[in-house]
Amino acid sequence: MRRVDVIDTAAAITRETVEGRHVLVMDVLRATSTIVTALNNGAKRIIPVETVEEAVALKRRCADSLLGGERGGVRPEGFDFGNSPLEYSKDAVQNKTIVLTTTNGTRALVGCQSAHAATIGCAGFLNGKAAVRRLTAKTGDLALVCAGTKDRFSLDDFLCAGMLLQQIMAEEEVQMADLGWNALLLYQAYGESLPAVLDNAKHYQVLKGLGFHEDLEYCLMKNQLEIAPVFDGNEIRID
Amino acid sequence: MRRVDVIDTAAAITRETVEGRHVLVMDVLRATSTIVTALNNGAKRIIPVETVEEAVALKRRCADSLLGGERGGVRPEGFDFGNSPLEYSKDAVQNKTIVLTTTNGTRALVGCQSAHAATIGCAGFLNGKAAVRRLTAKTGDLALVCAGTKDRFSLDDFLCAGMLLQQIMAEEEVQMADLGWNALLLYQAYGESLPAVLDNAKHYQVLKGLGFHEDLEYCLMKNQLEIAPVFDGNEIRID
């Protein structure tokens, strides 16, 4: 029976919790939702970087790349895209390399890499089933990594961990600590009323205040995308 | 509107989260349940200490004191009591000083003291209402500190935090981070089925395996005791 642990913020990623495991990183609002959408719409690859300066420098070296991301929820000056998944349409991204810089999602992806995860997948509500299927096809323990918001617990990512756990446990028995049970139980109780429940959550409120209503509605749709991207080397791709 | 934050393990206690706040410490299984029971049954005071050696040394200096506590859930050799609240009967504890050493509860109490909490109350399901009433009578922000188990998230303490939040929010509006919403929502969904839900929890399982069925049943009873003990200086008392 494999172990599945939930890690509730990027700050809680350690070698003890992640090394050698297959992990799924979730930053539902909005980095991983944006990543899976852009790749589903035909982007060739996503290169996540930590700072706006790195993103700009990288674009200078890769002439055909586009810049995406946010600071404080909004698009940095000179960027091609913000962090709204709905901007990453087929027309805009097909066959493009996208250099993406977001605060929490990038930190979680890079954190899992530094902590020597065996596989690093990207997941959200949008592609939960496909993301789980790709990882459970492998042998070994799993970790579900919630990016959180500025190193704090974020309800949206945690509820997504609950959905992924429910999907995993529909197929196999697992060993799990209390934090995993918390995520699963919370999702079982509130998975059918995500918008109402998340209306209490801080980051959801921030994005609502910035006018991103359509993003919120979109990012909470379940299992719409049949893709399971993986972060490997320095890029995220479908295969 | 005051802030109420939930702290999910003793390891997460910091000055930033606790300094100047009125806090309630919960170690439902079983330290704080034992503390409130012993004081309710007439014990004069409880002195929490971190090690078995300290406890023994302190008993040598206070001839009329009794030793209580656990290591790995069981009573250390030569102790008068284990950590089962049901042992602390009126006959056994009336007017006595009890030196108590438990792993997680003591660490949380001492941690809040080091982090300069303004008030440190002891709470469990057993005395939730009374404990909340004493703290909300004061002005200022609150923190609900789950002791956890060996610095890990423990579902029993977290559900108790949810019950306390529900009691607080029945009386006043508060500001709360996502972790608080998690505790509240979890309790709202599962507060009426605690034994079934906690049967998944690790520490509950350990105690069940050790045969402490009556303790488990007792510690999950709600609002049975009308006392609100406070840890001040080096002892816990009712007033």
Side-chain angles (χ1 to χ4, degrees), chain A residues 47-59:
Chain A
I47 303 179
V49 299
E50 298 203 52
T51 66
V52 168
E53 294 68 32
E54 270 179 277
V56 171
L58 194 54
K59 170 154 179 158

Side-chain angles (χ1 to χ4, degrees), chain B residues 69-88:
Chain B
E70 52 77 29
R71 282 301 175 269
V74 300
R75 174 164 68 174
E77 212 186 301
F79 271 44
D80 302 289
F81 306 101
N83 192 27
S84 167
L86 301 174
E87 296 177 57
Y88 294 75

Side-chain angles (χ1 to χ4, degrees), chain A residues 8 16-17 152-156 158 176 178-179 181-182 184-186 188-190 197 200-203, chain B residues 8 16-17 152-156 158 176 178-179 181-182 184-186 188-190 197 200-203:
Chain A
D8 60 354
E16 189 200 342
T17 51
R152 289 183 196 276
F153 176 90
S154 197
L155 202 55
D156 46 310
F158 197 66
M176 193 159 74
D178 282 20
L179 193 61
W181 284 107
N182 179 1
L184 179 70
L185 290 163
L186 198 71
Q188 285 177 336
Y190 301 100
V197 166
N200 299 309
K202 180 154 181 191
H203 191 54
Chain B
D8 60 355
E16 189 201 344
T17 51
R152 289 183 195 276
F153 176 90
S154 198
L155 202 56
D156 47 309
F158 196 66
M176 193 159 75
D178 281 20
L179 194 62
W181 285 106
N182 179 1
L184 178 71
L185 289 163
L186 198 71
Q188 285 177 336
Y190 300 102
V197 166
N200 300 309
K202 181 154 181 189
H203 192 53

Side-chain angles (χ1 to χ4, degrees), chain B residues 113-133:
Chain B
Q113 200 167 50
S114 309
H116 302 275
T119 316
I120 304 171
C122 293
F125 289 108
L126 287 165
N127 74 326
K129 257 197 188 130
V132 161
R133 202 182 304 120

Side-chain angles (χ1 to χ4, degrees), chain B residues 86-155:
Chain B
L86 301 174
E87 296 177 57
Y88 294 75
S89 64
K90 275 198 172 65
D91 284 353
V93 304
Q94 197 114 40
N95 290 318
K96 301 284 189 190
T97 290
I98 295 162
V99 179
L100 186 73
T101 179
T102 71
T103 325
N104 306 297
T106 303
R107 186 160 142 61
L109 288 164
V110 171
C112 290
Q113 200 167 50
S114 309
H116 302 275
T119 316
I120 304 171
C122 293
F125 289 108
L126 287 165
N127 74 326
K129 257 197 188 130
V132 161
R133 202 182 304 120
R134 181 163 185 177
L135 262 71
T136 52
K138 300 171 187 278
T139 308
D141 292 340
L142 307 178
L144 307 177
V145 177
C146 302
T149 305
K150 294 180 185 162
D151 291 342
R152 289 183 195 276
F153 176 90
S154 198
L155 202 56

Side-chain angles (χ1 to χ4, degrees), chain A residues 33-74:
Chain A
S33 298
T34 294
I35 289 166
V36 299
T37 301
L39 289 168
N40 192 63
N41 283 339
K44 191 164 67 181
R45 54 180 184 165
I46 314 268
I47 303 179
V49 299
E50 298 203 52
T51 66
V52 168
E53 294 68 32
E54 270 179 277
V56 171
L58 194 54
K59 170 154 179 158
R60 257 190 234 118
R61 296 204 301 276
C62 307
D64 70 335
S65 62
L66 296 171
L67 292 187
E70 54 78 29
R71 282 302 175 271
V74 299

Side-chain angles (χ1 to χ4, degrees), chain A residues 65-196:
Chain A
S65 62
L66 296 171
L67 292 187
E70 54 78 29
R71 282 302 175 271
V74 299
R75 174 165 65 175
E77 214 188 300
F79 271 44
D80 302 290
F81 306 101
N83 193 25
S84 167
L86 300 173
E87 296 176 56
Y88 294 74
S89 65
K90 275 198 172 63
D91 284 352
V93 304
Q94 196 113 38
N95 290 318
K96 301 285 190 191
T97 291
I98 295 162
V99 179
L100 186 73
T101 179
T102 71
T103 325
N104 307 297
T106 304
R107 188 159 140 63
L109 288 165
V110 172
C112 289
Q113 198 167 52
S114 308
H116 300 276
T119 315
I120 304 171
C122 293
F125 289 109
L126 287 165
N127 74 325
K129 254 193 191 135
V132 160
R133 201 182 306 123
R134 181 163 184 176
L135 262 70
T136 53
K138 299 170 187 280
T139 307
D141 292 341
L142 308 178
L144 306 177
V145 178
C146 301
T149 304
K150 292 179 186 163
D151 290 343
R152 289 183 196 276
F153 176 90
S154 197
L155 202 55
D156 46 310
D157 296 334
F158 197 66
L159 278 160
C160 185
M163 182 183 85
L164 303 184
L165 277 169
Q166 189 175 64
Q167 289 169 353
I168 294 166
M169 293 166 79
E171 303 294 329
E172 55 179 299
E173 267 194 278
V174 300
Q175 284 191 300
M176 193 159 74
D178 282 20
L179 193 61
W181 284 107
N182 179 1
L184 179 70
L185 290 163
L186 198 71
Y187 182 77
Q188 285 177 336
Y190 301 100
E192 299 305 316
S193 48
L194 293 178

